[in-house]
Amino acid sequence: MRLPENPQPKQKILNELSRLEKLDPQYKKAKLFSLVYYLGEAYTGFLNKVFYKFFSANGLNPGAFKSLKTMERNIVEMVANLFHGDDAVCGVVTSGGTESCLLAVKTYRDFARQAKRIKKPEMIVADTAHVAWLKGAEYFNVKIHRVRSLPEGGMDIDAVKKKINRNTIMLLGSAPEYPHGLIDPISKLSALAVKYKIPLHVDACVGGFILPFIEENGHALPPWDFRVEGVTSISADIHKYGFAAKGASLILYRHQHHFEHQVFVDVDWPGGIFASPALLGTRPGGAYAAAYAALLAHGRKGYLKLAKDALSATEQLKKGITELGFKIIGNPQATLFAYRSTQAEVDVFAIADLMEKRGWFIDRIQKPDALHAMVTPGHLRIVKDYLRDLKACLVVAKKQPELSQKGQAATYGMMAHVPFRKIVKKQVLKMFASTYRISGGTLNLEDASLDNSAAEGGAQVKRPLAERFALWLAERSRKRMQKSRL
Ligand SMILES: *Cc1c(COP(=O)(O)O)cnc(C)c1O
């Protein structure tokens, strides 16, 4: 494609975009269980209006767009209050959960450098912590200890304790973690954090705007927010269960003395004295305004109702899925969960393929192999359809066990079970990066193999034998895991 020579008619552009839109999952019909938090066209239209109003506004310089700075302060105050913080809480609106997580790693690393003279920073997380934390550790050069979760999910607090040493810059708990929707034992983490004087961040990116309302609706939840003494910061995404437009999250600190290490200042730049509170330079005014508007549009009562509906859909789905013979991992208390197979002949990845043929968009997870769902109020109306289709797919999967060796199931199964993780990583990296070449096209896991010949340099390694060996090992470890779980 080349930049068009002449300006294109607007209608033609809109038509082209409508055509592209058809490539996407059918989230408006609630067929998708991740990525999108959708509340219908009328509400989206309202946020769109707000977004448009501040479309060009830039939060880079808080002295220029006072509107955005005011909204940001109000958002921080409302959410600090929701999370039981006091007036000392400080924080910023960020572009998303990943930015919030990255910032926490950077902040605590720099705090530890200054306050404790720590030169080789380390952090401790559960293996179920969001990948944003792994990314943060890699970007900011912090050694990360990924503590393996207990057999049926949940953070292993004793294992965390064993990893604490004088280089530990932060502990992390999630409320809840994304893969299985389980809330980490924040109070126990807090006890460790207080005892060893280590900052404790709670990742409530997905839970921040649902847990408070689930609790207020009368469901007992373990405390996870600023009520817990050792919690020094919390991240929460307004663009998830806050139902804002994409591009809005939040990081809040209990103390300014931590937050100060997030702020970047340069006083000698020829472009002027420069201070920035977060990762981005230009900060999108539209997203901030839409986030502010979302909080106001729902209010406490609005969010209580949304939480009630989302939880109701979740409970119905969990019940139906369990009755079909699947097992929900752990005891998820929010509106996310994962389910796995309890029968050796039923491969959940094959089930996912079959469900996708029926128009659903299903997320696969690993260790153990399971299917994932993030549930919103919009899913209430599809509970019956989902369960009906799942039942039908289960029948087909049982009749055709060979499906686990075909389609995406084969690729996912292999990638989840090949023991040589470095080979897998290299291959995924190549495959993924190659989709970003001009000739790359879109990512397609259908019938992909370990050796992606489309990837540059893919043919350099002696593949066939290594690949067959890898496949054999994968199959073996997969069977062993299935057996040990039954
Ligand atoms: C979604 C999520 C993130 C990352 O947020 P993005 O907005 O996708 O960047 C981090 N942690 C948890 C627990 C999440 O669910």
Side-chain angles (χ1 to χ4, degrees):
M1 187 164 179
R2 295 282 176 273
L3 191 65
E5 197 56 32
N6 298 307
Q8 301 286 293
K10 307 277 181 301
Q11 193 51 52
K12 195 177 155 209
I13 301 172
L14 289 171
N15 292 346
E16 156 76 352
L17 291 172
S18 298
R19 186 183 67 80
L20 289 176
E21 204 183 2
K22 295 206 174 71
L23 300 172
D24 296 340
Q26 298 179 53
Y27 66 89
K28 289 183 186 174
K29 293 186 180 161
K31 296 278 197 179
L32 174 71
F33 293 84
S34 62
L35 302 166
V36 176
Y37 299 72
Y38 180 70
L39 290 182
E41 284 305 274
Y43 175 70
T44 306
F46 163 69
L47 283 195
N48 191 25
K49 224 168 165 174
V50 174
F51 200 105
Y52 170 70
K53 216 172 172 51
F54 289 87
F55 182 90
S56 302
N58 189 342
L60 187 155
N61 180 349
F65 284 91
K66 297 199 170 64
S67 58
L68 297 181
K69 185 69 186 77
T70 306
M71 287 183 226
E72 183 171 30
R73 192 191 54 227
N74 290 347
I75 293 172
V76 166
E77 188 170 355
M78 283 190 275
V79 181
N81 180 264
L82 186 66
F83 295 170
H84 302 93
D86 60 22
D87 289 348
V89 169
C90 42
V92 291
V93 175
T94 65
S95 63
T98 299
E99 187 185 351
S100 300
C101 300
L102 293 185
L103 284 170
V105 177
K106 178 236 167 322
T107 300
Y108 290 130
R109 181 198 66 177
D110 291 353
F111 171 77
R113 261 185 196 161
Q114 196 188 58
K116 302 186 194 169
R117 311 216 171 279
I118 290 176
K119 293 203 182 69
K120 291 186 173 170
E122 299 182 11
M123 60 191 280
I124 308 166
V125 308
D127 56 0
T128 48
H130 196 273
V131 279
W133 297 100
L134 310 177
K135 207 177 187 179
E138 193 169 305
Y139 283 12
F140 295 115
N141 242 325
V142 175
K143 180 174 172 182
I144 191 163
H145 296 283
R146 296 157 76 173
V147 168
R148 193 183 291 192
S149 293
L150 299 167
E152 262 312 303
M155 191 181 209
D156 184 345
I157 202 82
D158 293 326
V160 173
K161 193 174 171 183
K162 281 192 191 120
K163 292 288 178 195
I164 292 178
N165 64 46
R166 69 163 306 277
N167 289 327
T168 310
I169 60 154
M170 66 173 286
L171 302 178
L172 176 80
S174 303
E177 39 93 322
Y178 190 81
H180 317 116
L182 306 175
I183 303 174
D184 285 335
I186 305 298
S187 294
K188 287 181 183 162
L189 279 170
S190 164
L192 291 176
V194 171
K195 182 172 173 198
Y196 296 103
K197 297 196 175 59
I198 300 168
L200 167 60
H201 182 92
V202 171
D203 182 356
C205 279
V206 73
F209 291 93
I210 190 114
L211 292 181
F213 304 109
I214 289 177
E215 185 181 348
E216 210 183 320
N217 276 332
H219 304 268
L221 292 180
W224 57 272
D225 60 12
F226 287 123
R227 279 173 289 186
V228 184
E229 185 191 358
V231 174
T232 51
S233 54
I234 300 174
S235 49
D237 295 351
I238 320 177
H239 67 198
K240 286 183 183 156
Y241 284 105
F243 298 98
K246 297 248 180 314
S249 170
L250 201 71
I251 179 154
L252 300 179
Y253 293 88
R254 191 192 286 272
H255 310 291
Q256 187 180 323
H257 67 250
H258 285 139
F259 172 64
E260 278 170 8
H261 292 272
Q262 182 177 300
V263 178
F264 174 86
V265 176
D266 190 277
V267 293
D268 296 320
W269 186 43
I273 290 182
F274 186 91
S276 160
L279 211 73
L280 300 191
T282 289
R283 300 164 83 209
Y288 290 37
Y292 185 49
L295 295 177
L296 299 182
H298 299 294
R300 219 188 92 243
K301 288 204 171 139
Y303 284 123
L304 284 172
K305 171 80 170 84
L306 290 169
K308 186 164 175 261
D309 289 349
L311 193 65
S312 165
T314 309
E315 294 306 326
Q316 291 177 46
L317 281 169
K318 278 175 10 188
K319 184 164 175 280
I321 288 168
T322 308
E323 282 167 5
L324 287 175
F326 295 97
K327 177 126 178 49
I328 307 290
I329 295 174
N331 175 29
Q333 293 167 290
T335 46
L336 301 100
F337 65 90
Y339 59 99
R340 62 176 178 80
S341 167
T342 51
Q343 298 155 283
E345 74 272 24
V346 178
D347 180 351
V348 281
F349 293 155
I351 300 265
D353 285 359
L354 291 165
M355 287 293 275
E356 294 206 335
K357 287 215 177 79
R358 291 171 179 248
W360 303 96
F361 190 96
I362 307 288
D363 281 303
R364 292 99 167 147
I365 66 171
Q366 57 177 351
K367 301 175 182 235
D369 295 350
L371 304 184
H372 181 264
M374 175 280 293
V375 184
T376 65
H379 289 115
L380 254 186
R381 65 198 158 98
I382 57 79
V383 168
K384 282 206 181 80
D385 297 347
Y386 185 94
L387 293 174
R388 180 202 59 216
D389 283 356
L390 188 61
K391 189 173 178 181
C393 293
L394 186 60
V395 173
V396 177
K398 275 189 185 164
K399 271 197 202 132
Q400 302 179 42
E402 72 276 10
L403 288 179
S404 69
Q405 302 303 324
K406 290 182 179 161
Q408 291 193 48
T411 309
Y412 274 102
M414 176 175 67
M415 295 207 292
H417 299 284
V418 165
F420 316 116
R421 302 318 283 170
K422 279 191 181 146
I423 298 182
V424 176
K425 182 171 172 176
K426 209 165 140 186
Q427 286 303 321
V428 170
L429 201 147
K430 281 219 168 98
M431 204 159 80
F432 191 71
S434 71
T435 69
Y436 285 87
R437 296 194 307 187
I438 288 169
S439 57
T442 53
L443 192 62
N444 183 12
L445 290 178
E446 194 85 21
D447 296 323
S449 72
L450 256 190
D451 181 3
N452 178 22
S453 51
E456 217 159 28
Q460 286 167 5
V461 193
K462 282 181 217 153
R463 258 325 118 68
L465 193 64
E467 184 178 336
R468 264 182 293 162
F469 183 49
L471 274 167
W472 174 79
L473 270 175
E475 193 46 36
R476 195 184 64 161
S477 69
R478 180 192 182 98
K479 280 189 180 139
R480 281 194 181 166
M481 269 179 82
Q482 288 275 21
K483 249 188 226 153
S484 70
R485 236 179 286 132
L486 295 177

